[in-house]
Amino acid sequence: MIKINNLDSHVETAVEHILNHLNIKVSNEGFPLILKEGTALNVSFDLSKIILTYQTLNEVFVGLRLIKEQGLDKAFQIDYPKRLKELTFMLDASRNAVLKTEEVKHLLNILALSGYDGLMLYTEDTFEMEDEPYFGYLRGRYTEKEIKDIEAYANQLGIELIPCIQTLAHLNGITRYQPYRDIFDTLDILLVGEEKTYQFIEKMIQTMSQMFTSKKINIGMDEAYMLGRGKYLDKFGYEKRFDIMVKHLKRVMEICKKYGFEPMMWSDMFFASGWGDYYAKDKKLPQALLDAVPKEVGLIYWDYYHTEASHYINMIEKHQQFGNKVVFAGGAWKWIGFTPDNRFSLKANQASMKACIEKQVDEVIITAWGDNGAEASVYSILPSIIYNGLLKYGSDEVDSSVKVSFKAITNVDFDHFMLIDSANQLTKNYKHKSTANKHFLYNDPLLGLLDTSTEENYPKIYQKHINKMKKAMPYYGRYQYIFETQLALLKVIQKKVNLGVYIRKSYQEKDLEALKKHVKTLKTVHKDIKLFKTIFSNQWHQDNKAFGYEIQDLRIGGILSRIETSIQKIEDYILGKTLSIEELEVELLDYYGGYKNFQKSHTIAEFRYKPVVSVGVTV
């Protein structure tokens, strides 16, 4: 037992939250816990009292986790100095899924126990803005009250809530509305040089200053590759993209300064202007470009794709040439459909963190994007989230100590939890960043765009995944609901993965008996998908606000409808009502344009829905 003495009310409330999460009881019969401020995290137990020395408030909770890991049946002394100054988790709340306030608080508990210092809330238009009724309309936007509530809870845990918005591109959510049409250049990119644009940006930044107490702000500005090629070109004539970018950045920085913000931004546009490829590591940036970038803005080097520390070191060195503050952003791969890729994330994060520590980049962000639907639960990447916190304090390999920490935080066995990746794992090679989970759910039974990417042994692989997850299912505790989603998905894919291949072969061989069997399988798959939809709906609505789920309804409903159409067409053909099935007459080609050189699914990372389901232009 642990007894808490002589704590001020602010710390005591926060400690109570975390003790409940850790399932540690407070009792007069327990050992006293003495908190002291110091220069590094240290925990000691002499069989009579616990002394927890911390540098920052959030380290109190890391210390509590260490106490749980050690137990109180013998004396111990732990020195736990951090190798990294600040670690921040970025939550994407703009790709359909807007995490409920109570779930953000649960996530904050996990971040505190893992050693995070900040939570960056990525909101494109998903925050409330005065007199802007279409901004975040029907998108589940956070209200000011919700932001304040989240921030108050974060502050109790010593975690800084940081605003993250877009001030140049990625504002697709509002491009459809007439009131905003004057401020867009092309696509989702704002019109630089237009005064209405800067009035709008100032309104966003002013709103952030009212909602958040943090003086940090991420102003975005990434991936605006068509900048200056639309209305800007008509209005101002041709200018180099880099010159437009710098001009715009200076205006936005003036606004940030007005409201007391210290801005940071994604750095890719400067590299794209310098050599056209963000990761062209062998090329040099022109000195004129280095000199032109304002020194007051922090540059965020984002990179989620490499597993060699040398690559990150090279890119960090190129960023440091600017003379600006450099922040690194790695990724926890949850943006590839319903199923994450923790296996790859762990390797990439291990390499990037090593490089950051070596090159003295002392601020790191771990992003959790939800591109193209945000189907995966934020909790599906708990191995990646927690591992990065442990890397901050000196861990390296995913070893027994990492697994002990993971169990202490989640009450789930690490190896059991890693089964969450199963639907994407078709080989044992972690570099195979597959999005098979989305491919084989949505692959059309008749068109079969992805039928050339399958292999004969895939159903057996999925059956093994199913068997392992079934055995582990009783041990997932609070997170069982996300594994129920994955198990239901695995069952669908196991039956469906090669079904289109079998149907086409039987049709071409005019094997009517085989086609009858395939119809039965299609009807079973239809039932399995309906069950999956129900289970996934439970997951979505437990985690997120309702808005955005309509996309999942439309997509899953779409594949159910296509299966119904497939059944009808095959049955009509069997009965002789039709003489052919047009889709099955077509000879399939490689998904990526390799003609008959078929690329297999374990090397395809295509997380977008539209290219998977059809080549039609109206989807």
Side-chain angles (χ1 to χ4, degrees):
M1 294 290 182
I2 296 175
K3 179 181 177 182
I4 300 173
N5 288 329
N6 303 320
L7 301 178
D8 63 64
S9 59
H10 176 79
V11 174
E12 189 169 6
T13 302
V15 168
E16 184 179 351
H17 288 313
I18 295 301
L19 290 177
N20 288 337
H21 184 100
L22 291 173
N23 198 29
I24 295 176
K25 306 299 181 185
V26 179
S27 168
N28 291 332
E29 299 174 359
F31 296 104
L33 173 64
I34 301 167
L35 300 183
K36 294 182 178 180
E37 291 190 41
T39 57
L41 178 57
N42 176 284
V43 185
S44 64
F45 176 55
D46 64 1
L47 299 179
S48 64
K49 64 183 179 301
I50 308 161
I51 300 176
L52 197 166
T53 305
Y54 63 97
Q55 185 179 20
T56 54
L57 176 59
N58 58 316
E59 289 194 323
V60 171
F61 311 110
V62 178
L64 289 172
R65 185 199 85 219
L66 294 173
I67 293 168
K68 180 174 182 179
E69 290 175 22
Q70 292 293 318
L72 297 177
D73 52 354
K74 60 182 179 180
F76 62 82
Q77 166 83 36
I78 303 173
D79 295 313
Y80 209 58
K82 57 189 175 186
R83 302 187 297 174
L84 190 76
K85 183 181 176 184
E86 292 184 20
L87 180 64
T88 296
F89 181 73
M90 192 218 75
L91 176 66
D92 185 349
S94 292
R95 296 332 202 286
N96 283 358
V98 178
L99 198 64
K100 289 178 179 177
T101 303
E102 290 307 307
E103 294 300 325
V104 177
K105 291 178 180 179
H106 180 73
L107 177 62
L108 282 163
N109 288 346
I110 293 167
L111 296 178
L113 290 166
S114 303
Y116 284 75
D117 305 275
L119 172 62
M120 187 174 283
L121 204 58
Y122 178 77
T123 52
E124 293 169 354
D125 65 320
T126 46
F127 59 91
E128 190 177 52
M129 195 152 61
E130 188 177 359
D131 297 326
E132 299 288 343
Y134 285 105
F135 195 78
Y137 172 61
L138 293 177
R139 294 256 287 135
R141 61 193 169 199
Y142 285 120
T143 65
E144 180 173 356
K145 181 180 179 181
E146 286 173 320
I147 295 290
K148 295 285 190 186
D149 185 27
I150 292 168
E151 186 177 60
Y153 191 86
N155 286 344
Q156 287 184 337
L157 301 177
I159 292 177
E160 183 176 10
L161 189 67
I162 303 166
C164 182
I165 61 173
Q166 289 288 358
T167 59
L168 182 58
H170 288 299
L171 285 163
N172 184 64
I174 59 171
T175 56
R176 64 191 296 144
Y177 300 119
Q178 189 276 332
Y180 298 109
R181 286 176 186 165
D182 289 344
I183 64 171
F184 281 97
D185 176 8
T186 182
L187 303 174
D188 60 356
I189 301 169
L190 292 175
L191 179 56
V192 174
E194 168 59 55
E195 285 307 310
K196 289 181 182 178
T197 300
Y198 297 102
Q199 292 169 12
F200 174 71
I201 290 172
E202 179 163 1
K203 193 168 188 178
M204 286 196 294
I205 292 173
Q206 181 184 29
T207 301
M208 293 295 98
S209 71
Q210 293 167 349
M211 288 184 170
F212 295 80
T213 58
S214 174
K215 293 306 176 185
K216 296 178 181 178
I217 187 170
N218 185 337
I219 56 175
M221 294 202 181
D222 57 313
E223 298 180 322
Y225 301 127
M226 294 298 291
L227 176 63
R229 302 299 188 263
K231 287 181 188 175
Y232 187 94
L233 186 61
D234 295 335
K235 189 171 183 177
F236 301 109
Y238 174 77
E239 286 185 56
K240 291 180 179 179
R241 185 172 56 187
F242 175 76
D243 294 338
I244 302 171
M245 181 82 185
V246 171
K247 179 166 55 178
H248 180 65
L249 174 58
K250 288 179 178 178
R251 286 291 302 270
V252 174
M253 288 182 64
E254 288 174 5
I255 298 170
C256 288
K257 185 177 181 180
K258 177 178 176 179
Y259 292 94
F261 278 119
E262 301 167 6
M264 65 184 89
M265 63 175 284
W266 312 106
S267 67
D268 56 286
M269 285 295 290
F270 297 132
F271 286 81
S273 298
W275 57 47
D277 178 1
Y278 194 19
Y279 302 116
K281 59 185 179 182
D282 295 327
K283 295 185 179 180
K284 285 182 129 185
L285 287 168
Q287 189 61 44
L289 184 150
L290 297 171
D291 294 340
V293 176
K295 303 307 173 196
E296 298 81 12
V297 65
L299 299 182
I300 306 172
Y301 158 41
W302 57 271
D303 193 337
Y304 324 132
Y305 308 105
H306 300 91
T307 56
E308 305 81 25
S310 58
H311 166 85
Y312 294 104
I313 289 170
N314 185 295
M315 284 296 294
I316 289 170
E317 288 174 348
K318 292 192 181 302
H319 277 77
Q320 290 173 334
Q321 291 175 20
F322 284 91
N324 296 56
K325 176 182 177 180
V326 177
V327 179
F328 176 76
W333 281 64
K334 68 170 291 291
W335 57 84
I336 52 175
F338 300 89
T339 306
D341 193 344
N342 288 287
R343 181 175 68 173
F344 182 81
S345 300
L346 297 177
K347 292 290 186 181
N349 296 158
Q350 180 188 58
S352 61
M353 197 74 84
K354 179 180 178 182
C356 288
I357 292 165
E358 181 173 329
K359 300 307 296 183
Q360 297 182 318
V361 174
D362 58 9
E363 292 187 30
V364 170
I365 301 166
I366 302 301
T367 64
W369 299 107
D371 298 41
N372 197 245
E375 300 97 334
S377 169
V378 69
Y379 302 122
S380 70
I381 52 169
L382 285 182
S384 301
I385 292 173
I386 292 169
Y387 182 54
N388 278 286
L390 303 180
L391 285 171
K392 173 188 172 185
Y393 282 96
S395 292
D396 191 4
E397 297 292 334
V398 179
D399 56 16
S400 59
S401 65
V402 168
K403 294 179 180 182
V404 167
S405 296
F406 185 87
K407 182 72 179 285
I409 296 171
T410 66
N411 204 32
V412 180
D413 177 81
F414 179 88
D415 292 326
H416 284 165
F417 206 105
M418 285 294 287
L419 296 177
I420 197 83
D421 293 355
S422 294
N424 290 328
Q425 291 188 355
L426 295 165
T427 76
K428 294 183 179 180
N429 188 341
Y430 68 85
K431 292 187 177 181
H432 287 167
K433 301 187 291 295
S434 171
T435 45
N437 78 94
K438 203 163 182 173
H439 295 175
F440 296 133
L441 173 63
Y442 290 127
N443 188 32
D444 190 274
L446 297 182
L447 294 174
L449 275 175
L450 285 153
D451 281 352
T452 61
S453 75
T454 68
E455 296 188 67
E456 189 176 350
N457 66 332
Y458 284 2
K460 291 182 179 179
I461 291 172
Y462 280 108
Q463 189 59 55
K464 288 180 180 178
H465 290 327
I466 289 168
N467 295 342
K468 287 181 180 178
M469 195 171 288
K470 276 184 176 179
K471 288 181 181 178
M473 192 60 72
Y475 307 110
Y476 288 124
R478 184 196 192 276
Y479 306 105
Q480 182 171 329
Y481 69 106
I482 64 175
F483 285 89
E484 289 173 349
T485 296
Q486 293 302 313
L487 183 58
L489 180 58
L490 287 169
K491 289 178 178 179
V492 170
I493 295 174
Q494 194 276 333
K495 295 184 185 73
K496 187 174 179 289
V497 60
N498 279 340
L499 185 54
V501 176
Y502 303 150
I503 291 171
R504 189 174 300 270
K505 182 176 184 292
S506 298
Y507 172 81
Q508 290 172 349
E509 294 176 352
K510 301 187 185 303
D511 187 342
L512 299 186
E513 290 304 313
L515 285 175
K516 289 178 184 178
K517 292 179 181 177
H518 300 328
V519 167
K520 289 182 180 179
T521 305
L522 280 169
K523 290 178 179 178
T524 301
V525 169
H526 189 275
K527 290 179 182 177
D528 288 348
I529 292 176
K530 288 181 73 174
L531 178 59
F532 163 74
K533 180 176 177 291
T534 299
I535 294 170
F536 173 64
S537 175
N538 292 338
Q539 173 188 301
W540 180 282
H541 291 97
Q542 180 162 332
D543 286 354
N544 308 310
K545 296 186 180 185
F547 304 97
Y549 181 74
E550 72 279 1
I551 297 298
Q552 316 304 337
D553 255 346
L554 292 167
R555 290 177 177 179
I556 300 172
I559 190 59
L560 287 170
S561 181
R562 284 299 296 166
I563 290 173
E564 292 163 12
T565 298
S566 300
I567 291 169
Q568 186 64 57
K569 287 193 173 190
I570 296 170
E571 287 183 335
D572 285 349
Y573 176 75
I574 291 170
L575 294 172
K577 292 181 179 180
T578 57
L579 297 178
S580 67
I581 301 173
E582 287 185 76
E583 297 95 327
L584 299 179
E585 294 285 342
V586 177
E587 182 181 9
L588 294 180
L589 305 177
D590 176 59
Y591 177 77
Y592 269 146
Y595 190 41
K596 294 187 179 181
N597 180 25
F598 300 136
Q599 183 169 334
K600 296 306 176 182
S601 190
H602 61 259
T603 58
I604 298 177
E606 173 54 85
F607 54 81
R608 297 171 297 166
Y609 168 78
K610 178 180 173 180
V612 169
V613 296
S614 173
V615 297
V617 295
T618 58
V619 174

